[in-house]
Amino acid sequence: MQTDTQIFRRARGPKSPRGTEESPFVKWILISVALAFVVLFLLLPLINVFWQAFDRGLKVYYESLADPDTLSAIKLTLLIAGITVPLNLVFGLAAAWAIAKFNFKGKPVLITLIDLPFAISPVVAGLMFVVLFGRQGFFGEWLDAREIRIIFAVPGMVLATVFITFPFVARELIPVMQATGTEQEQAALTLGAGGWQTFWYVTLPSVRWGLLYGVILCNARAMGEFGAVSVVSGHITGQTDTMPLRVEKLYQSASAASMTAAFSVASLLAFLALLTLIIKTFLEWRTQREYEAAQRAQPEPTLIAPSLQPTSHR
Amino acid sequence: MSIELRTVSKRFGEVVAVNNVSFTVQEGELLALLGPSGGGKTTVLRMIAGLELPTHGDIFVRGERVNDISVQKRNIGFVFQNYALFKNMNVFKNIAFGLKIKKWKKREIKSRVAELLELLGLEGLEKRFPHQLSGGQRQRVAIARALAPKPSVLLLDEPFGAVDAKIRQELREWLVRLHSDLNVTTLFVTHDQEEAMEVSNRIVIFSRGNLEQIGTPREVYEEPSNEFVARFIGVMNVLDVQVHKGVARVDELEFPVPDRPEGQQLRIGFRPFAVQVSPDPTQYRYPGIIRHTFFLGIMMRVEVELPSGLILRARMTKEEYVQLGLHEGQKVSILIRSYRILRGESEPLSPEIMAADKGPGAYGAGI
């Protein structure tokens, strides 16, 4: 019994003053494992991409990016993102507005459906569009008769990308809009503002950071999407290759030059991703503040001291 | 007349929020819409503003039917319970919003906002954002914002609900002063009967969607139209009694009720003011013991326990209490000077019955 007590004492001993805290040994083990994992699986590959890209000098890097087929891939990626992001901005705003501000039948179904693209494998998403619009597909014959090409062409790639990136804007906006409620809009109405004025002066400013955050994420995914786009693109070099598809194609051809070219394009994508990450972190911080401000604007039982300003509150 | 509701009803699906309500508000009045929560008072306010549309009936503002006029065009100032300030705008822009929408000139907006800042004691806060203001300041900004476009009517939803007790008292007095300065027709919603009594010219009492009574604070207190109003406004002793030989009884208490059938179940109600307490245990008919006394500023509430265990509440001024030399645990006797027969929540009340106390030493020196 004596020894039992001693072991018991040591386990919750003086080195960890709080009962809920792990011992320093466990703490350091966990931190090291996490850190090693991040370095090995995230940081090293990323450095490797840039290393391989710049290995043969800046000149080769520029040349491989200036290749007409690669340039066309970059342009197509920008085009697809340029169409997808505004579309999902509008869809996302509409969906978030409907969910946050109205009560209607089937609302849980709509919320679940918004998440559907996250749950489905991108390849399956791409196949869905092939089944719908492909030559043997549901609308295939009708489209063929009118010489409208969707699959193995840009429209199909846009469709697939819109589908994949649909949740980002809506997901970001719903919590912000729900926290804000509808009273500010109602107040604007009683002061004579019309629907557009209310949206422009009241609704949009109150969600602007969340909206921008959603747009950034949406854009990052639109540029980086591989699976769904790959299925519907048809891989026509110089026509339906986006940057991720181009990377794969260059890499597969296995010559030393094209290998470097593959890494050059990959480094460009990686750079865009890093940029996104930085902007995202900044916006996350802003939306958090906005969310807290919205919460504070809700009813309060007591007075708030003027000292309770957001700068002292992060 | 400023506002008129004619047989207005509002349903939300199966729920009848407002049921066949009619009343008129005079120009320049300060009117309270009073009732327990869920009574329909906020819905009435929102229908006047145009934020809800009535299912049946008509609403008139200054003689014009406004049912089909949109919120934007009604020119009504509305102050939301949680103020609903535009959190991305500072105080100046909040107050100026309605004027900007109405395309006022910049210079006019500036002078109007300055005027309101002064009127509401908000000078120097123009640049602050809502989250940098105290609760009371936020409310004043919300009122300034509503008043800026010179509305024909000012509507306030639970204006004192979100601030603490001490500030609430100041705000009440302040609202009364503001109203007498501006003389704009003002309606406010409250669930606090004391607040309604203190602030308003007239009170409209709602319960479960029905309008129970409309009248001055004194009228609804002294002449409640039914049992709901009688019990909701002020404190009331309520007893379930049974009629036997023209007298309603419960325990030792007896209330003469002529013309009532034998065996009828009734409810009797009387205000604490109607209970006369004497330090002489034999002066009035019913003996009792003072169980508790509550000090309410200049008034005292005394709880008297009768031998049967019934507890009645009496109310008197502090002077009376001291003059009579009352204290807790003292043996006393009581007289119930007047009482009413209550007949279900919304049944009209009959006039008060004055009691003739037949106990030993009846008709003692009443004060």
Side-chain angles (χ1 to χ4, degrees):
Chain A
M1 287 311 278
Q2 193 66 19
T3 38
D4 274 352
T5 320
Q6 274 167 353
I7 289 166
F8 182 68
R9 269 215 195 116
R10 192 171 299 157
R12 338 178 62 198
K15 278 185 182 173
S16 63
R18 266 177 281 161
T20 52
E21 214 167 73
E22 303 296 341
S23 75
F25 179 70
V26 174
K27 199 162 82 184
W28 285 111
I29 288 268
L30 285 174
I31 291 174
S32 318
V33 167
L35 212 61
F37 192 87
V38 167
V39 169
L40 203 64
F41 289 93
L42 295 177
L43 204 59
L44 280 182
L46 191 66
I47 292 169
N48 185 42
V49 167
F50 283 97
W51 182 270
Q52 299 273 358
F54 290 102
D55 192 30
R56 286 148 143 243
L58 268 180
K59 193 159 170 285
V60 181
Y61 181 79
Y62 279 130
E63 271 169 10
S64 52
L65 285 184
D67 176 85
D69 290 341
T70 304
L71 266 184
S72 133
I74 294 173
K75 275 185 203 154
L76 184 60
T77 300
L78 292 178
L79 175 73
I80 290 175
I83 298 172
T84 304
V85 171
L87 277 179
N88 272 338
L89 177 80
V90 175
F91 289 163
L93 263 173
W97 185 287
I99 286 166
K101 316 241 167 182
F102 300 115
N103 274 316
F104 51 91
K105 274 184 190 167
K107 190 160 147 177
V109 178
L110 182 61
I111 296 173
T112 314
L113 280 179
I114 285 178
D115 280 341
L116 188 69
F118 279 168
I120 280 187
S121 158
V123 176
V124 176
L127 276 174
M128 278 173 6
F129 287 104
V130 173
V131 167
L132 275 178
F133 303 117
R135 193 156 277 179
Q136 269 81 49
F138 201 69
F139 299 114
E141 221 166 281
W142 190 88
L143 290 167
D144 225 26
R146 282 151 190 82
E147 296 195 342
I148 301 169
R149 295 212 51 125
I150 291 182
I151 298 306
F152 304 152
V154 176
M157 298 168 79
V158 170
L159 276 177
T161 313
V162 167
F163 178 86
I164 292 295
T165 59
F166 180 75
F168 288 104
V169 175
R171 274 278 134 204
E172 281 313 311
L173 285 184
I174 289 167
V176 181
M177 281 194 172
Q178 275 174 337
T180 316
T182 55
E183 277 208 332
Q184 287 185 56
E185 276 98 1
Q186 291 180 12
L189 293 181
T190 62
L191 291 164
W196 272 112
Q197 285 171 316
T198 304
F199 177 75
W200 199 250
Y201 292 130
V202 178
T203 312
L204 207 54
S206 67
V207 300
R208 59 184 187 269
W209 295 109
L211 185 65
L212 212 56
Y213 181 31
V215 163
I216 293 285
L217 286 182
C218 176
N219 182 58
R221 186 64 194 266
M223 288 186 171
E225 175 55 26
F226 179 85
V229 171
S230 173
V231 173
V232 295
S233 82
H235 302 274
I236 308 164
T237 304
Q239 280 186 37
T240 61
D241 269 350
T242 60
M243 283 165 78
L245 300 182
R246 183 77 190 148
V247 171
E248 195 213 17
K249 204 174 266 181
L250 286 167
Y251 185 80
Q252 302 256 314
S253 61
S255 77
S258 69
M259 194 70 105
T260 309
F263 278 108
S264 303
V265 183
S267 75
L268 202 62
L269 271 174
F271 172 72
L272 286 174
L274 285 176
L275 195 69
T276 306
L277 211 63
I278 292 167
I279 303 174
K280 185 191 97 124
T281 311
F282 172 71
L283 291 178
E284 223 160 16
W285 171 69
R286 289 302 310 231
T287 36
Q288 185 57 33
R289 269 181 53 167
E290 200 160 78
Y291 187 75
E292 280 167 13
Q295 299 252 300
R296 269 202 297 276
Q298 296 297 309
E300 275 143 58
T302 52
L303 292 180
I304 292 192
S307 63
L308 232 160
Q309 286 172 15
T311 39
S312 61
H313 235 247
R314 262 176 220 157
Chain B
M1 126 200 18
S2 184
I3 300 171
E4 184 180 0
L5 273 75
R6 277 190 211 154
T7 61
V8 170
S9 297
K10 176 70 183 176
R11 294 167 160 274
F12 294 104
E14 292 293 297
V15 183
V16 182
V18 175
N19 184 24
N20 199 19
V21 164
S22 305
F23 66 91
T24 60
V25 186
Q26 301 303 320
E27 193 74 48
E29 236 185 320
L30 177 52
L31 193 89
L33 305 181
L34 173 68
S37 54
K41 53 203 192 307
T42 295
T43 309
V44 168
L45 200 74
R46 290 174 63 87
M47 284 194 289
I48 295 170
L51 291 165
E52 304 283 358
L53 295 176
T55 319
H56 294 292
D58 299 310
I59 299 171
F60 297 83
V61 176
R62 289 190 166 159
E64 188 190 2
R65 186 173 175 274
V66 295
N67 286 44
D68 306 319
I69 295 178
S70 67
V71 196
Q72 289 97 329
K73 300 215 169 88
R74 286 198 193 183
N75 192 30
I76 276 168
F78 198 101
V79 179
F80 291 82
Q81 185 175 2
N82 306 322
Y83 318 139
L85 296 177
F86 305 129
K87 64 185 165 64
N88 56 299
M89 298 180 204
N90 62 26
V91 169
F92 183 94
K93 285 187 174 164
N94 262 286
I95 300 174
F97 185 85
L99 306 176
K100 198 171 112 189
I101 293 294
K102 293 200 164 65
K103 302 212 163 59
W104 281 36
K105 293 205 182 73
K106 266 213 170 123
R107 193 151 26 94
E108 289 171 356
I109 292 180
K110 238 182 162 177
S111 72
R112 176 68 176 152
V113 173
E115 190 186 327
L116 285 161
L117 286 170
E118 198 200 325
L119 178 70
L120 295 163
L122 292 163
E123 299 108 316
L125 300 176
E126 299 91 312
K127 297 259 159 57
R128 294 262 190 100
F129 282 84
H131 63 83
Q132 297 169 314
L133 300 173
S134 71
Q137 286 168 338
R138 282 183 205 177
Q139 183 177 48
R140 279 180 281 155
V141 173
I143 293 175
R145 183 179 69 179
L147 286 173
K150 302 189 172 161
S152 57
V153 181
L154 181 64
L155 306 176
L156 303 109
D157 189 5
E158 295 273 3
F160 314 113
V163 289
D164 64 34
K166 189 176 176 304
I167 305 285
R168 197 178 303 163
Q169 185 56 40
E170 286 170 20
L171 280 172
R172 287 182 196 174
E173 291 161 14
W174 174 83
L175 183 67
V176 172
R177 278 202 303 277
L178 182 79
H179 176 259
S180 63
D181 284 354
L182 295 171
N183 210 29
V184 59
T185 310
T186 304
L187 271 73
F188 72 98
V189 159
T190 178
H191 59 262
D192 183 338
Q193 47 104 3
E194 212 175 292
E195 196 168 279
M197 302 281 273
E198 187 178 321
V199 174
S200 62
N201 307 138
R202 283 200 302 157
I203 302 177
V204 190
I205 298 166
F206 291 92
S207 150
R208 281 180 267 157
N210 297 305
L211 192 159
E212 301 291 351
Q213 189 171 7
I214 178 164
T216 64
R218 196 166 166 177
E219 279 166 6
V220 297
Y221 184 79
E222 290 179 352
E223 290 302 322
S225 63
N226 58 37
E227 183 180 340
F228 173 81
V229 176
R231 297 178 74 165
F232 190 68
I233 302 284
V235 182
M236 187 164 251
N237 293 296
V238 177
L239 299 167
D240 288 309
V241 294
Q242 193 166 22
V243 179
H244 180 60
K245 290 182 184 164
V247 177
R249 297 166 204 271
V250 57
D251 297 334
E252 63 266 64
L253 295 180
E254 292 186 344
F255 302 92
V257 281
D259 316 325
R260 288 284 169 177
E262 182 72 20
Q264 194 186 15
Q265 302 281 340
L266 286 177
R267 212 170 317 157
I268 295 280
F270 48 94
R271 298 273 184 213
F273 278 116
V275 180
Q276 182 76 47
V277 181
S278 163
D280 176 357
T282 57
Q283 181 177 4
Y284 299 130
R285 175 167 173 188
Y286 305 116
I289 292 175
I290 297 182
R291 278 294 171 221
H292 295 286
T293 59
F294 300 88
F295 178 60
L296 315 164
I298 63 159
M299 300 304 297
M300 298 294 293
R301 194 169 85 217
V302 178
E303 283 185 2
V304 179
E305 187 181 330
L306 305 183
S308 63
L310 265 181
I311 291 178
L312 300 180
R313 285 170 289 189
R315 211 174 195 203
M316 62 192 76
T317 63
K318 208 178 81 190
E319 280 75 29
E320 269 184 84
Y321 185 82
V322 173
Q323 262 180 24
L324 293 171
L326 299 177
H327 56 83
E328 283 184 10
Q330 186 177 359
K331 286 188 174 161
V332 293
S333 62
I334 60 158
L335 163 69
I336 298 162
R337 282 184 299 211
S338 61
Y339 53 90
R340 288 172 183 278
I341 298 169
L342 309 174
R343 294 181 299 183
E345 288 269 291
S346 49
E347 289 295 309
L349 282 183
S350 47
E352 265 187 315
I353 303 169
M354 303 306 286
D357 189 74
K358 288 177 190 147
Y363 309 111
I367 294 168

